[in-house]
Amino acid sequence: MYGDSDGFYAWTATDESGRGACGITGEPERAAVLLSRSLGSLAPGATGTVRVVRLNRLARHPSYIYGPTVLRLQRTREAAVIVVGG
């Protein structure tokens, strides 16, 4: 369903103070690397996700339709780590 040329990966990283970063890429591995780098520059406790997105071709203005979360990370004192589950 998400394997065609309309599929992208949105990554978002934020900390408790509201600082963060986000972006869109066509490659899931690149989204994971960018998310991990961004979390590394934020305070411990910061969280981030990578979600599947698709272009909404029916919208009047460019927009995305967000799909499932495929990766969830949390920044610890040492590094960004994978968080399993909800």
Side-chain angles (χ1 to χ4, degrees):
M1 177 172 163
Y2 292 104
D4 64 5
S5 63
D6 289 344
F8 298 95
Y9 298 86
W11 59 271
T12 304
T14 56
D15 65 16
E16 291 181 2
S17 70
R19 291 184 54 223
C22 62
I24 300 277
T25 181
E27 301 171 6
E29 298 85 3
R30 179 141 175 81
V33 167
L34 293 169
L35 173 60
S36 182
R37 285 183 190 162
S38 294
L39 283 174
S41 68
L42 297 173
T47 59
T49 59
V50 174
R51 293 180 66 185
V52 175
V53 296
R54 294 175 51 85
L55 289 175
N56 183 350
R57 298 203 177 268
L58 301 177
R60 292 186 63 160
H61 301 286
S63 65
Y64 294 109
I65 299 169
Y66 287 82
T69 297
V70 295
L71 178 65
R72 188 178 312 270
L73 298 179
Q74 182 173 13
R75 170 80 157 85
T76 65
R77 289 191 189 279
E78 294 78 29
V81 297
I82 297 173
V83 176
V84 179

